[in-house]
Amino acid sequence: MGRAGRRLPALAALFYGALAALVLLGVRDVLFLYEENRCSMTYMYEYPEYLKIKLPKKTARRYPAYELYLYGEGNYAEENKNLLLTGIPVLFLPGNAGSYKQVRSLGSIALRKAEDVDFKYHFNFFSVNFNEELVALYGGSLQRQTKFVHECIKVILKLYRDREFAPTSVAIVGHSMGGLVARALLTLKNFKPELINLLITQATPHVAPVMPLDKYLTDFYTAVNNHWILKAQDLRNLTTLSVAGGFRDYQVRSGLAFLPRLSQHDSALSVVSSAVPRAWASTDHLSIVWCKELILATIRAFFDLIDENTRQITEDPKKRMSVLNHHFVRHPAKIFEENPETSMELTGAFMWITVKTPKWTYSVYNDSDGKYFTFPLASHRKSYSHVYCGNSMLDTSSWIYGCMNSNSSMCLEATDLSWRAELLPGTKVVILKLQDYPSLSHIVLQVPPTVGNKYTLDCEFFREDSRTVQLPVTHLFSFGLSSSKILLNSTGLLYNVYQAFKIYIESHCHSLKERKPSVYRLHIPWSHEDSITVAKAPSSTEISAKLHIAQPQNDNRIPELNIYSSSDCQYEVILKTSLLQILGQVIRFHAGAFPVYVVSNILLAYGGQLSTLISTGQCSDFSLELVRTAKPYKVEPLLSIVVFLHGFHWFRVIRESLSLPEVDAAVLSSQDAWFPLVSLILFLFGTGIAYWSGVIFSTSLRLISSLWLTLIRPTVLQKDNKLITPRRLCGVLSLALVSWTTCGAFAVLIIYLRYLFKVIRLHMNVKAEQNILNGDLDHSKETSWNPSIDTIKNQSSMDSTSKATPQSLSNSTTVAEAVNSLKMHVTILNLFTWIMLLNLPSLIYWLKNLRYNVRLDPDPCRLTAIVLICILEILMNSSTSEVKSSKLLKIASKVPLPLSVAMLAFGQMHLYRVPHFVTFSLLLHVLCCVV
C-alpha cells in the first residue's frame, strides 16, 4: 500500500505532464505550423506624410487622446495642405494597439492608381489616431471611439462642402477592432446610416471578442450584433465586406471574422484572404493591412465602384456587390463591366478549324495568324455531361464563345462565355455543364496573333460521375494510423475528393517534357474560405484540410478537392487524420476558455483541501488534492445536463425569470463551435495545466523563500489572534480608496503583492523553524547514543532538559499548524494569481492612458477589487486552526463543486465572471475564520 501510495503521485505527474504536452503541441500548431508568408510588401515611392486635421474645440476637448489625419505623399501631400480636397473620402480605422500610419499601404497604392488614370478619379485617405488603445482587451473605450469616429465623419464631409462633386457619404476601411467600431456607428441614436455606403473590414472579430475580459466588451458586441440582426432591412444600402486572414492569423481566427449568420443579406460578404483571386495567400493579423496582393484587390475594387456621373462611390448596392464579388470571390480574368455585352460577332481574317476529339491541347508561340477552334457539341452531348477549357494566357480579353444553332463550320454570332471563366494561379478555366446550354451548337476558342508570347489552351469533354470520387475521411481518433487512399489513373483535368485533416498528393508523369503546374483547390461550398496550392508535376504535395466555419446543419454539401492537373499524369491521393492539427483546432477555437477550466480545477482542489481539513485535521498538498478531486465525471455530467435542459423552452423561461445569464456552452453549440467530448478534452487539458502550473508556482515560492532565507534573518512563528486590527483596517480603506479613485486592477495588484510577500515570509519562517527542530532532534539522538555524556551532567541540567521537552513539542505543533496554513495560502494565492492575470489588461490600459486621466472610467473590476481587498486582508492573516473549528467549514468545502460547474456553464464566453465565482468561495472561507 505504501509503495502504491508513493507511485500514485509519479503516475499523476506523468499523466498530467502528457496532457500539458498535448496542449503545447496544439499551441505549436497554431503559432508556428502554417503556410509561409506569400504576401509581397507594399512600398511607398515617396515619403509618406500625415496632415493633422483640426477638429472643433468641443470635440478636441471631449476626446483629447484622439486625432484625425489625412495621408499624402510628395506633391500630392503639398497640394492638400490647404485642404481643398476634390477626391473621394475614405476613412481608415486602426484596431487594437493599431497605428493611424497603417493607412499608408492603401493610400500609396491608391495614389499610384490615380496617377495611371491622370487623376480623373482619386481618393483622399483619412486615418484616425486612437492612441493605440488596447480595445481588444478593455471594452470601456469602444463607445468613446465610436462617437469620435462619428464626429470625424462630419468633419471630413465638411471639408468637401461647396465642391462640384461633393460627397455625401464616406467609405470606411477598418482593421481588427476598427471594423467593429465602424459597425457600431449604426447603433448611435443620432447617426444617419446614409453617411456610410461601403464598409471593408480586415481581420475584424465580428462574432465575439477573442478574449471576453470585461462586461463592457461583451455588452458592446451584443449591442452591435443585435442591432445588425434586428435592423438588417435598414442596412441594405450599406455594403459590407469582411476579409479574414486565414490560418496565419492566430490572433483572430477566421471564423470570428465572418459576419454573423443571421445578419447576412444581399449587401454583406465574408471571405478568407486565401480565397481572394490574385492573392490566394493567408495573412497574419498585421500583414493584412500591407499585403500587396490584398491591397491591390481592394484599390481595384474602389476604382471600379466609382460612378462616372457623380465621381463618387456608386449609390447602387447591386453594383457594389457585383464589384466586390468580381474582385474578392470569383474573378473571370476580365476587367469589370456592370452590364457586359454577351452577344457579339466573331470577325477578322481568322482561320476556322474544327476539332472533333473529346480531348484537345494546343500550344501557341509566335503565331502570326489568328485562329478560331470550333468544337461541335452535338456529337458530345450524349457521351459527356461537362466541358472543361483552360487558357494560360492571363490577359483580360475574351477567348471562349458559344455559338448558337450554327450548321456551318463558321460562327458569325456568338455568346461570350469568357465571363464564366475563373482565374486561378497561372491559368483561367471554364467548366460548363452542357445541359445548361441547350441552345449552343459549338464552343469556339479564339487564338489571336501573338508575337513573343507562349501559352497553352486545352479542352476536354467528360462525365461528372467519372471524374468525381467520394472518399470517406479517416476517423477523428485514428491519430493518423489509418488512411484512405485512391489512385487517379487517367489523363483527366478535374477530380473531386472528400475533405480530410491531411491530404498527400503525389503526381507521377509518363514523360519528362515541360508541363504546366498542377493546381489543387480545397473548396468549401458553404463559405468563401477556399485554399489553393500550386505544385510542379511530378511532385509530392501536402495539403492541410481544416475548416474556419463548421458546416451548417441544413447544408448537405461536402467539401471538395479540385485537382486541375497536368495531362498524361497519374495522381495518388492519401488522406490521414492529423493529431497535431486536431489539437491545433481545439486550441484555435477554445483557447479563450482555458482560464475557466484551469481555475475550475484549482477551485476543486481548494474544496478538497477544505474537506481533508474536516476529516483529518490536516491540509493536504495541492497536487495530491488535485489528483483526488479534479475528476471529469464530477463536473461534465452536470454541465451536459444544463446544456441539454437549455434546449427546452420551459428551462429558458425559468432561467430568464431568475435573471440568470445564457449558458455559454449552449451558445457555442449554436455557433457550431461545440463538438462531442470537447468539454471533456478541455477539462483534462485544464487539469494538466492546473497541475503543472501549481507545481511550478509552489516551487518558485520555495526558491524565492530559500534565497530570502540566506539574506534575511527569519522571525519566530507567532500566532496572531486578531484578524482585524486598526492598522489593517487603515490598509483596507487605503486600497479601497486607490481602487475607487484610480484603477481597481491596480489595487488588486497591490494586495496581491502584499499577499505574495506574506506567503514568502511564512514559507521562510516555516523552513527556518523546521531546520531548528531537525537540529534539536539530531542532538537528542546523538545524546541518546552516547550515555557516557549523561554521567557528567548535574541534576540542574537534567531539570532544564525536562523543561525543554514540552517546549519542543509546542514548537513542533506550531510548525505543523503553520505548514497546514502555508498549503492553504499557496492554493488561495494560486487562485488569486489567475484573477490578477484576468484583470491585468485593464491595468495595462490604465497605465498607458495615465497622462490623460488618473481614474479609469469605466472600470470593469472596481467593485470586485474592493471586495477582494477586504477578503484577502483577512485571509492573509488567517490560519487553518481558526477554520477547523468553524461551523461553516462543511458548507465551504461543498460549494467549490457547484461553483466549478457554474463557472464552466456561464464563464467560457464571459471570462470576467470567473473572479466572481472565486470571490464567493473565498468569502465563505472568510466567514469560516470569523464564525
Side-chain angles (χ1 to χ4, degrees):
M1 183 66 183
R3 184 178 297 178
R6 289 192 300 269
R7 191 181 299 161
L8 183 61
L11 292 175
L14 187 63
F15 175 69
Y16 292 130
L19 290 175
L22 291 177
V23 174
L24 292 177
L25 287 174
V27 171
R28 176 175 172 267
D29 179 76
V30 173
L31 298 183
F32 303 106
L33 301 183
Y34 43 69
E35 66 178 71
E36 62 180 7
N37 185 14
R38 298 206 296 261
C39 280
S40 304
M41 177 66 79
T42 305
Y43 294 99
M44 281 83 252
Y45 291 93
E46 296 176 282
Y47 189 78
E49 296 184 33
Y50 304 89
L51 177 63
K52 186 177 179 180
I53 306 297
K54 187 177 180 180
L55 299 172
K57 292 183 179 179
K58 185 178 179 181
T59 303
R61 189 167 52 251
R62 186 180 298 173
Y63 310 101
Y66 301 158
E67 297 168 324
L68 177 65
Y69 288 88
L70 173 65
Y71 177 81
E73 294 179 17
N75 293 332
Y76 171 77
E78 289 293 326
E79 294 170 1
N80 286 336
K81 283 187 176 179
N82 55 10
L83 294 180
L84 298 176
L85 306 178
T86 58
I88 304 169
V90 179
L91 179 61
F92 175 79
L93 304 181
N96 177 60
S99 170
Y100 65 94
K101 295 182 179 180
Q102 290 174 318
V103 73
R104 60 182 175 266
S105 295
L106 284 166
S108 182
I109 295 293
L111 184 59
R112 303 284 86 78
K113 180 77 172 175
E115 290 174 349
D116 291 343
V117 295
D118 295 327
F119 280 91
K120 180 182 179 182
Y121 311 113
H122 71 279
F123 290 85
N124 301 127
F125 276 86
F126 297 84
S127 183
V128 173
N129 179 17
F130 284 136
N131 193 32
E132 300 184 7
E133 291 180 334
L134 301 172
V135 287
L137 304 177
Y138 169 75
S141 62
L142 284 169
Q143 194 68 24
R144 186 162 57 247
Q145 286 190 0
T146 305
K147 292 179 180 178
F148 179 73
V149 172
H150 184 198
E151 297 299 323
C152 288
I153 291 174
K154 291 189 284 188
V155 169
I156 290 170
L157 292 178
K158 282 182 182 179
L159 296 175
Y160 295 86
R161 188 181 295 172
D162 301 327
R163 300 290 188 271
E164 182 181 0
F165 297 99
T168 58
S169 61
V170 175
I172 295 181
V173 178
H175 172 242
S176 188
M177 295 298 288
L180 186 71
V181 169
R183 289 179 62 213
L185 285 167
L186 296 154
T187 65
L188 299 178
K189 291 182 180 179
N190 57 345
F191 184 79
K192 298 177 182 178
E194 57 267 21
L195 292 179
I196 308 175
N197 57 10
L198 177 66
L199 170 60
I200 297 178
T201 65
Q202 302 169 326
T204 296
H206 291 294
V207 177
V210 178
M211 293 292 287
L213 293 170
D214 65 66
K215 189 175 186 296
Y216 307 110
L217 189 59
T218 55
D219 287 352
F220 189 82
Y221 265 90
T222 301
V224 172
N225 286 331
N226 285 346
H227 182 88
W228 278 60
I229 292 170
L230 297 175
K231 303 289 184 180
Q233 296 297 325
D234 300 337
L235 302 176
R236 288 190 173 274
N237 290 327
L238 171 63
T239 303
T240 309
L241 169 68
S242 175
V243 182
F247 289 111
R248 280 188 63 87
D249 188 353
Y250 53 79
Q251 296 184 44
V252 177
R253 65 177 178 87
S254 297
L256 293 178
F258 277 60
L259 291 164
R261 200 169 293 163
L262 292 176
S263 70
Q264 284 187 343
H265 43 75
D266 295 340
S267 298
L269 180 64
S270 300
V271 298
V272 179
S273 60
S274 60
V276 175
R278 294 200 277 191
W280 297 303
S282 177
T283 63
D284 59 57
H285 196 64
L286 291 179
S287 68
I288 197 169
V289 301
W290 55 256
C291 178
K292 186 176 181 179
E293 289 76 11
L294 271 181
I295 298 300
L296 284 171
T298 304
I299 297 303
R300 288 169 183 144
F302 270 131
F303 276 86
D304 284 342
L305 286 167
I306 297 174
D307 187 331
E308 293 185 358
N309 297 321
T310 63
R311 296 200 174 185
Q312 296 294 325
I313 290 178
T314 178
E315 296 294 328
D316 184 3
K318 291 185 178 179
K319 180 181 177 181
R320 292 199 295 259
M321 282 304 296
S322 297
V323 170
L324 294 181
N325 275 290
H326 178 92
H327 289 283
F328 288 92
V329 178
R330 185 185 179 94
H331 198 295
K334 290 181 66 67
I335 297 174
F336 175 79
E337 295 180 27
E338 186 175 0
N339 296 305
E341 293 186 8
T342 56
S343 298
M344 56 193 311
E345 294 182 359
L346 301 181
T347 58
F350 283 21
M351 185 185 305
W352 289 81
I353 302 173
T354 302
V355 180
K356 295 184 179 180
T357 59
K359 181 182 176 182
W360 169 84
T361 300
Y362 183 76
S363 296
V364 183
Y365 184 64
N366 283 338
D367 273 11
S368 57
D369 299 326
K371 298 181 179 66
Y372 285 123
F373 292 94
T374 64
F375 299 81
L377 300 181
S379 58
H380 296 302
R381 287 187 181 275
K382 292 182 179 180
S383 304
Y384 306 104
S385 62
H386 290 70
V387 59
Y388 161 92
C389 290
N391 186 351
S392 62
M393 170 63 81
L394 302 182
D395 61 352
T396 58
S397 59
S398 297
W399 60 282
I400 182 170
Y401 308 91
C403 190
M404 300 184 195
N405 301 319
S406 174
N407 296 322
S408 64
S409 59
M410 297 177 61
C411 179
L412 300 179
E413 186 175 348
T415 300
D416 189 356
L417 298 177
S418 304
W419 292 100
R420 303 284 182 181
E422 181 176 12
L423 183 64
L424 294 173
T427 186
K428 48 188 178 184
V429 300
V430 174
I431 300 175
L432 303 175
K433 188 176 182 180
L434 297 180
Q435 188 179 352
D436 295 340
Y437 300 90
S439 60
L440 296 185
S441 60
H442 293 74
I443 296 290
V444 180
L445 262 64
Q446 180 182 2
V447 179
T450 57
V451 178
N453 291 328
K454 184 178 182 180
Y455 62 97
T456 303
L457 294 95
D458 45 21
C459 280
E460 183 177 10
F461 292 86
F462 65 92
R463 294 190 63 85
E464 185 180 27
D465 54 2
S466 67
R467 297 297 172 82
T468 303
V469 180
Q470 194 172 78
L471 190 64
V473 179
T474 53
H475 195 270
L476 181 68
F477 297 106
S478 65
F479 304 113
L481 299 178
S482 63
S483 63
S484 297
K485 178 178 176 180
I486 57 172
L487 194 64
L488 309 179
N489 284 314
S490 66
T491 58
L493 296 164
L494 177 68
Y495 288 99
N496 301 319
V497 296
Y498 193 74
Q499 70 147 2
F501 293 105
K502 207 75 169 180
I503 303 176
Y504 302 92
I505 305 176
E506 189 167 349
S507 58
H508 306 278
C509 301
H510 298 300
S511 62
L512 299 177
K513 67 178 183 180
E514 183 181 353
R515 54 179 56 82
K516 67 178 183 179
S518 299
V519 177
Y520 310 129
R521 179 172 68 176
L522 184 63
H523 174 60
I524 312 299
W526 55 80
S527 63
H528 302 297
E529 56 175 284
D530 293 6
S531 59
I532 291 181
T533 304
V534 181
K536 295 180 179 179
S539 66
S540 296
T541 307
E542 179 183 303
I543 299 175
S544 296
K546 45 192 176 183
L547 298 176
H548 296 292
I549 295 290
Q551 183 179 20
Q553 294 181 355
N554 299 324
D555 198 323
N556 296 323
R557 293 173 296 175
I558 59 175
E560 299 174 343
L561 177 67
N562 304 132
I563 302 179
Y564 300 90
S565 63
S566 299
S567 57
D568 76 342
C569 289
Q570 185 183 67
Y571 291 83
E572 183 180 18
V573 181
I574 301 175
L575 288 81
K576 283 186 177 182
T577 298
S578 173
L579 176 61
L580 290 180
Q581 290 198 14
I582 293 172
L583 295 172
Q585 288 292 80
V586 172
I587 300 298
R588 182 174 286 107
F589 277 80
H590 301 287
F594 267 50
V596 184
Y597 283 91
V598 174
V599 175
S600 174
N601 276 277
I602 298 174
L603 201 58
L604 288 174
Y606 164 72
Q609 286 179 313
L610 294 178
S611 298
T612 55
L613 204 58
I614 298 172
S615 59
T616 64
Q618 304 293 322
C619 182
S620 59
D621 190 67
F622 169 78
S623 57
L624 293 176
E625 207 55 48
L626 184 70
V627 174
R628 189 178 71 86
T629 58
K631 305 296 184 184
Y633 59 79
K634 293 182 178 181
V635 177
E636 290 303 314
L638 295 175
L639 182 61
S640 299
I641 290 171
V642 172
V643 175
F644 174 74
L645 291 176
H646 194 271
F648 294 96
H649 177 71
W650 60 267
F651 182 81
R652 294 195 297 272
V653 171
I654 294 174
R655 178 183 59 79
E656 292 172 1
S657 64
L658 296 174
S659 299
L660 292 175
E662 198 168 6
V663 180
D664 287 352
V667 176
L668 288 170
S669 180
S670 67
Q671 294 176 357
D672 300 321
W674 196 260
F675 58 87
L677 301 179
V678 65
S679 186
L680 174 62
I681 294 171
L682 292 175
F683 186 90
L684 291 173
F685 285 171
T687 309
I689 296 173
Y691 181 91
W692 281 102
S693 65
V695 170
I696 294 171
F697 185 72
S698 59
T699 304
S700 301
L701 290 178
R702 284 197 200 96
L703 291 174
I704 295 172
S705 63
S706 299
L707 180 62
W708 200 344
L709 189 60
T710 60
L711 300 175
I712 300 174
R713 184 178 179 180
T715 58
V716 179
L717 284 172
Q718 294 179 350
K719 185 175 180 180
D720 192 352
N721 293 322
K722 293 183 179 180
L723 292 174
I724 303 174
T725 62
R727 183 179 178 182
R728 291 168 186 168
L729 186 60
C730 289
V732 169
L733 293 176
S734 300
L735 285 177
L737 185 63
V738 169
S739 175
W740 191 260
T741 56
T742 58
C743 173
F746 181 53
V748 171
L749 177 63
I750 294 174
I751 194 70
Y752 173 78
L753 293 176
R754 280 193 60 202
Y755 199 174
L756 180 64
F757 173 74
K758 199 102 174 179
V759 171
I760 292 173
R761 278 192 61 186
L762 179 60
H763 207 299
M764 180 185 67
N765 293 336
V766 167
K767 189 169 185 180
E769 290 288 343
Q770 285 176 334
N771 291 339
I772 294 172
L773 285 175
N774 291 335
D776 290 343
L777 288 173
D778 293 341
H779 178 70
S780 63
K781 287 179 181 179
E782 183 182 349
T783 304
S784 64
W785 282 104
N786 293 277
S788 60
I789 299 176
D790 291 338
T791 59
I792 64 173
K793 291 187 177 181
N794 55 28
Q795 185 65 33
S796 61
S797 67
M798 291 176 65
D799 292 340
S800 64
T801 305
S802 63
K803 290 179 182 178
T805 304
Q807 184 180 356
S808 299
L809 291 173
S810 176
N811 289 343
S812 178
T813 304
T814 304
V815 171
E817 192 63 46
V819 169
N820 286 330
S821 299
L822 180 61
K823 290 178 180 178
M824 186 61 69
H825 283 307
V826 170
T827 301
I828 294 173
L829 190 61
N830 193 2
L831 274 173
F832 194 36
T833 301
W834 286 92
I835 295 177
M836 185 62 238
L837 291 175
L838 292 175
N839 289 327
L840 201 57
S842 62
L843 175 63
I844 296 172
Y845 180 91
W846 173 73
L847 290 172
K848 196 172 185 301
N849 292 271
L850 194 57
R851 57 177 174 162
Y852 300 107
N853 204 334
V854 176
R855 189 173 192 261
L856 180 62
D857 189 31
D859 191 341
C861 57
R862 179 170 290 130
L863 295 177
T864 306
I866 294 174
V867 175
L868 282 172
I869 289 166
C870 299
I871 290 174
L872 293 173
E873 186 63 42
I874 296 174
L875 286 181
M876 73 172 64
N877 298 293
S878 66
S879 66
T880 53
S881 60
E882 297 156 346
V883 178
K884 281 191 289 189
S885 59
S886 174
K887 298 176 181 179
L888 296 176
L889 182 56
K890 202 167 204 178
I891 298 174
S893 65
K894 300 294 183 185
V895 164
L897 177 58
L899 283 180
S900 295
V901 177
M903 193 185 301
L904 296 180
F906 301 107
Q908 296 188 55
M909 298 180 66
H910 302 82
L911 292 179
Y912 61 87
R913 292 174 182 165
V914 173
H916 302 160
F917 295 107
V918 176
T919 302
F920 182 77
S921 185
L922 296 180
L923 181 61
L924 287 177
H925 194 133
V926 169
L927 293 176
C928 290
C929 296
V930 177
V931 180

